[in-house]
């Protein structure tokens, strides 16, 4: 047993070193720009593929191909700063974050076109050797990864502490305005941070390709999430913290894989991360604001104050807000209900049905991220709870829709409210990571709870909605399901808009602007947060239940982190806190991509470019943030 433990620790140190390098990239960019760089995963993937292409296409030795790949991705990191951040630096916080996400979408899809979506074997330049230390073992690849990762971390530490440019990075991270007054060219420092993030991303991508002996275009996002988690685990702007966080995460994962099961590896890791956030939200070696890049801040108190997203509303006077009254949703639902009488095209009706479902989902995200101010990066888990509830009750137990659909709404509301409890004392990026952990835990439960969710297989042939109270009425045709979706969406959005226009909605927005002040004024903050998550969960659960009925097939892949990021994108493009904008964006961004279905390979690229353009022209959303 001790040999197994030591072997897993050694393997965990190797993969943890990769997480540490990715975390260092996040820490550098966040330190100088206060930005979560979602494109870090794309840089990671490109590093691996550029090295792969150098070896397999050009016949270069791996060391030369690796150096070339790192140089190319470093330059791309600098270009990323100019495209994603600089044009949006005076906009709301969320705009440049989503800009990096749009670039990630474009790069990932281009990689699939250039290198194919399938995984490809990465050639090892040496014959792998296994070394035994007593009963424990470690491979030559593990040693290579650990050595190069450690040297990179040491070199970065030396650069930041002993070079003039490195000291400029640390000064900018501590106080950008003060650094500028002392003569530091902060724009150049920010560009340098993105370049270094590219260097670290490319190196970590190559090391992962060596570790798993393969490369594939979708490899970036999973490892970027692990790197982001490691950065927050150690302290978001702490260089030593990023290393400690990465190594700790790697060891926890490998031990979970050995003692709990490979399928539970990520579930254990994200569950422990969520628990850790409750007791030390600033990270192992970080403060609540800045840390070892040069700054220090007050320790995290028991009640966080202003939200990351408060700035979106504080600038509301600078942009026009377009909203319709609550009854407008009923009118829109009534108008859409006439569509099956106009056309019998299953394609058109199904596209509009999905548009209405995603309008509900986008609105549910906007309620949490816009009105309450908690950046929700894991909302697809609530969507999944609703879908799986309908699937289990309808498929497994044969219950009618008047039982299954309300049960999905109620259960998802309860799950969302319970999930909000750990977020009460979290704010900013730690709250965002908390929602990410909740989303990942939900996805992994769908994947591993075989007796209930059927794991990766999901559910096939979910029965069409049947209402026993209406004489056994069965909605089997898409036109009949259309009316059910239109009714639930219209009534659901109407009720939520009424809440937002009431004293409850004003209380939610007050908590978003300053949670501490709201608490000091006597507002029961916890109760209102529970209520907001419950309402948002109910709306998402209704959408999930309808999705299961319409599609009749569900699997965990529909509720992963990509789905959560897509929903957040829709909510932001519509205007955070603006239910009309969120619903319109969810509807349109579901319908419009159907126009590009003949160009399937380029569809997501067009989507990413469209997202970049809208963020440039309307950083507060198409209809304005409330």
């Amino acid at each position: 047993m001790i040999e197994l433990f030591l072997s897993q620790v050694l393997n965990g140190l190797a993969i943890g070193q990769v997480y540490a390098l990715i975390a260092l990239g996040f820490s550098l960019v966040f330190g100088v720009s206060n930005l979560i760089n979602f494109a870090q995963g794309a840089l990671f993937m490109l590093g691996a593929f550029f090295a792969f292409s150098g070896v397999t296409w050009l016949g270069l030795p791996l060391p030369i191909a690796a150096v070339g790949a790192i140089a190319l991705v470093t330059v791309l990191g600098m270009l990323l700063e100019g495209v994603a951040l600089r044009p949006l630096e005076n906009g709301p916080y969320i705009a440049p974050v989503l800009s990096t996400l749009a670039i990630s979408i474009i790069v990932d899809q281009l990689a699939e076109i250039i290198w194919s979506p399938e995984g490809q074997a990465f050639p090892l330049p040496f014959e792998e050797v296994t070394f035994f230390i007593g009963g424990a073992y470690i491979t030559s690849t593990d040693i290579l990864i650990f050595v190069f990762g450690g040297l990179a971390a040491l070199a970065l530490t030396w650069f930041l502490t002993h070079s003039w440019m490195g000291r400029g990075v640390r000064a900018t991270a501590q106080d950008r305005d003060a650094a500028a007054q002392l003569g530091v060219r902060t724009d150049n420092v920010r560009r340098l941070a993105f370049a270094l993030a590219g260097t670290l991303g490319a190196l970590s991508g190559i090391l992962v390709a060596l570790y798993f002996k393969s490369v594939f275009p979708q490899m970036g996002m999973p490892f970027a999430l692990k790197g982001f988690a490691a950065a927050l685990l150690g302290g978001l702007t702490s260089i030593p913290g990023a290393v400690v966080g990465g190594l700790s995460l790697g060891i926890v994962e490998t031990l979970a894989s050995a003692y709990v099961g490979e399928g539970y590896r990520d579930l254990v890791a994200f569950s422990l991360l969520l628990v850790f956030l409750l007791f030390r939200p600033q990270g192992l070696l970080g403060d609540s604001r800045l840390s070892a890049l040069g700054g220090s801040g007050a320790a995290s108190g028991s009640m966080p104050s202003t939200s990351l997203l408060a700035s979106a509303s504080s600038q509301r006077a600078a942009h026009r807000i377009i909203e319709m009254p609550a009854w407008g949703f009923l009118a829109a639902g009534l108008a859409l209900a006439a569509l099956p009488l106009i056309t019998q095209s299953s394609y058109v009706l199904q596209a509009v049905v999905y548009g209405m479902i995603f309008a509900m989902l986008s609105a549910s995200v906007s309620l949490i991220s816009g009105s309450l101010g908690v950046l929700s990066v894991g909302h697809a888990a609530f969507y999944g709870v609703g879908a799986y509830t309908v699937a289990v009750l309808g498929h497994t137990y044969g219950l009618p829709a008047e039982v299954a659909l309300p049960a999905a709404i109620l259960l998802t509301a309860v799950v969302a409210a319970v999930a909000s409890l750990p977020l009460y004392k979290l704010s900013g990026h730690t709250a965002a990571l908390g929602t990410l952990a909740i989303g990942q835990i939900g996805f992994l439960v769908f994947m591993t709870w075989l007796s209930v969710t059927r794991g990766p297989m999901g559910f096939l042939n979910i029965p069409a909605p049947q209402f026993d109270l209406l004489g056994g009425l069965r909605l089997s045709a898409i036109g009949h399901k259309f009316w059910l979706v239109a009714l639930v969406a219209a009534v659901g959005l109407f009720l939520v808009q009424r809440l937002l226009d009431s004293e409850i909605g004003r209380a939610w927005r007050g908590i978003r602007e300053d949670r501490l002040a709201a608490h000091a004024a006597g507002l029961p903050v916890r109760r209102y947060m529970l209520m907001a998550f419950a309402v948002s969960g109910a709306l998402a659960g209704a959408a999930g239940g309808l999705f299961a009925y319409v599609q009749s097939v569900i699997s965990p892949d529909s509720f992963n982190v990509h789905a959560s990021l897509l929903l957040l994108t829709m909510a932001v493009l519509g205007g955070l806190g603006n239910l009309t904008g969120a619903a319109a964006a969810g509807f349109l961004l579901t319908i419009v991509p159907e126009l590009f279905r003949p160009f399937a390979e380029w569809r997501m690229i067009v989507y990413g470019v469209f997202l970049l353009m809208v963020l440039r022209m309307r950083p507060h959303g198409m209809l304005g943030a409330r």
Side-chain angles (χ1 to χ4, degrees):
M1 290 297 291
I2 190 65
E3 290 83 1
L4 175 63
F5 176 81
L6 291 176
S7 296
Q8 295 306 316
V9 168
L10 292 174
N11 291 329
L13 289 173
I15 194 63
Q17 192 66 263
V18 173
Y19 295 158
L21 291 178
I22 303 172
L24 287 170
F26 276 109
S27 296
L28 282 168
V29 170
F30 179 81
V32 301
S33 63
N34 195 35
L35 172 71
I36 299 173
N37 178 19
F38 278 114
Q40 188 69 16
L43 299 176
F44 166 94
M45 179 269 296
L46 286 176
F49 266 105
F50 285 161
F52 167 81
S53 300
V55 174
T56 58
W57 294 1
L58 303 178
L60 298 174
L62 181 58
I64 296 176
V67 171
I70 292 171
L72 283 173
V73 178
T74 299
V75 173
L76 290 176
M78 288 190 288
L79 293 176
L80 174 65
E81 183 272 338
V83 174
L85 179 60
R86 201 179 310 160
L88 298 169
E89 58 183 336
N90 294 322
Y93 168 81
I94 195 64
V97 173
L98 286 191
S99 182
T100 65
L101 175 61
I103 291 171
S104 177
I105 292 172
I106 294 170
V107 171
D108 287 353
Q109 190 62 33
L110 282 174
E112 289 194 11
I113 294 172
I114 296 170
W115 288 287
S116 91
E118 305 300 324
Q120 301 181 61
F122 191 89
L124 281 180
F126 53 83
E127 185 175 348
E128 192 166 59
V129 179
T130 301
F131 301 95
F132 289 91
I133 306 172
Y137 66 90
I138 188 171
T139 67
S140 52
T141 304
D142 293 335
I143 296 173
L144 179 69
I145 292 172
F146 192 78
V147 169
F148 272 91
L151 289 175
L154 290 173
L156 180 63
T157 301
W158 181 91
F159 173 78
L160 292 174
T161 54
H162 291 84
S163 70
W164 185 89
M165 296 177 69
R167 287 192 289 270
V169 172
R170 296 171 61 211
T172 304
Q174 182 173 8
D175 191 323
R176 182 178 177 182
D177 292 336
Q181 291 174 1
L182 292 173
V184 177
R185 296 183 177 180
T186 54
D187 289 342
N188 291 341
V189 166
R190 190 172 59 195
R191 195 174 300 114
L192 172 64
F194 273 84
L196 290 173
T199 301
L200 295 167
L203 177 59
S204 57
I206 295 168
L207 294 178
V208 163
L210 285 171
Y211 186 84
F212 290 104
K213 303 176 182 62
S214 65
V215 288
F216 53 97
Q218 302 83 16
M219 67 190 294
M221 183 58 76
F223 281 93
L225 292 178
K226 296 291 182 64
F228 179 45
L232 275 168
L233 187 63
L236 194 51
T237 55
S238 170
I239 294 299
V243 175
V244 172
L247 296 178
S248 301
L249 189 59
I251 291 171
V252 166
E253 280 192 1
T254 55
L255 290 176
S257 176
Y259 293 104
V260 183
E262 179 63 29
Y264 295 90
R265 174 180 184 144
D266 289 346
L267 181 59
V268 171
F270 279 101
S271 297
L272 289 177
L273 177 63
L274 185 60
V275 172
F276 179 84
L277 286 173
L278 298 179
F279 297 99
R280 193 169 176 81
Q282 68 268 36
L284 288 167
L285 302 180
D287 289 318
S288 59
R289 171 61 184 95
L290 293 175
S291 53
L293 276 173
S296 60
S300 179
S302 59
M303 171 73 70
S305 185
T306 305
S307 161
L308 275 175
L309 304 174
S311 60
S313 62
S314 65
Q315 301 174 26
R316 59 185 300 184
H319 63 276
R320 184 183 177 190
I321 302 172
I322 302 173
E323 289 182 294
M324 63 182 181
W327 59 261
F329 290 107
L330 297 178
L334 185 61
L336 285 173
L339 189 60
L341 304 177
I342 299 171
T343 178
Q344 299 299 313
S345 170
S346 297
Y347 177 77
V348 172
L349 294 178
Q350 189 146 336
V352 176
V353 160
Y354 286 134
M356 291 188 288
I357 289 173
F358 275 85
M360 297 172 65
L361 289 168
S362 177
S364 71
V365 173
S366 184
L367 194 155
I368 295 298
S369 297
S371 299
L372 193 64
V374 177
L375 188 63
S376 183
V377 194
H379 215 78
F382 306 142
Y383 172 37
V385 170
Y388 272 100
T389 302
V390 161
V392 171
L393 295 181
H395 184 279
T396 306
Y397 297 101
L399 295 179
E402 64 259 31
V403 175
L405 190 56
I409 295 171
L410 180 60
L411 179 61
T412 312
V414 172
V415 169
V418 172
S420 73
L421 292 175
L423 305 177
Y424 174 62
K425 292 184 179 179
L426 302 180
S427 67
H429 304 90
T430 53
L433 179 60
T435 65
L436 171 63
I438 290 167
Q440 286 297 92
I441 290 169
F443 167 73
L444 294 166
V445 167
F446 302 149
M447 285 285 289
T448 56
W449 198 3
L450 301 180
S451 61
V452 175
T453 66
R454 303 176 62 170
M457 292 176 55
F459 284 86
L460 301 174
N461 301 317
I462 298 170
Q466 178 174 317
F467 294 86
D468 290 352
L469 294 179
L470 299 178
L473 176 65
R474 186 177 180 84
L475 307 180
S476 54
I478 184 62
H480 298 154
K481 293 178 183 178
F482 187 101
W483 284 322
L484 174 63
V485 174
L487 174 64
V488 175
V491 172
L493 292 172
F494 166 78
L495 293 175
V496 173
Q497 185 65 62
R498 288 293 301 271
L499 277 176
L500 289 175
D501 292 338
S502 69
E503 292 291 337
I504 294 173
R506 285 188 282 275
W508 286 338
R509 291 189 289 275
I511 292 170
R512 173 193 64 195
E513 293 305 311
D514 196 323
R515 198 183 302 179
L516 184 60
H519 180 75
L523 202 66
V525 173
R526 188 192 298 271
R527 187 187 310 164
Y528 276 105
M529 287 187 66
L530 286 170
M531 188 186 305
F533 270 86
V535 172
S536 176
L539 197 59
L546 293 171
F547 175 78
Y549 276 137
V550 170
Q551 183 155 293
S552 75
V553 175
I554 62 169
S555 69
D557 288 338
S558 298
F559 315 110
N560 58 20
V561 68
H562 294 280
S564 293
L565 292 173
L566 176 63
L567 296 177
L568 179 60
T569 300
M570 291 175 172
V572 172
L573 287 183
L576 278 176
N578 184 338
L579 205 70
T580 303
F587 185 85
L588 292 175
L589 291 177
T590 305
I591 298 293
V592 171
E594 292 298 322
L595 301 176
F596 299 96
R597 185 167 288 279
F599 312 96
E601 287 187 332
W602 297 92
R603 188 167 54 158
M604 292 309 295
I605 295 175
V606 172
Y607 178 86
V609 172
F610 174 75
L611 175 55
L612 281 175
M613 292 173 58
V614 172
L615 288 171
R616 293 280 186 90
M617 294 183 293
R618 296 282 296 177
H620 292 278
M622 293 184 293
L623 301 188
R626 186 179 183 185

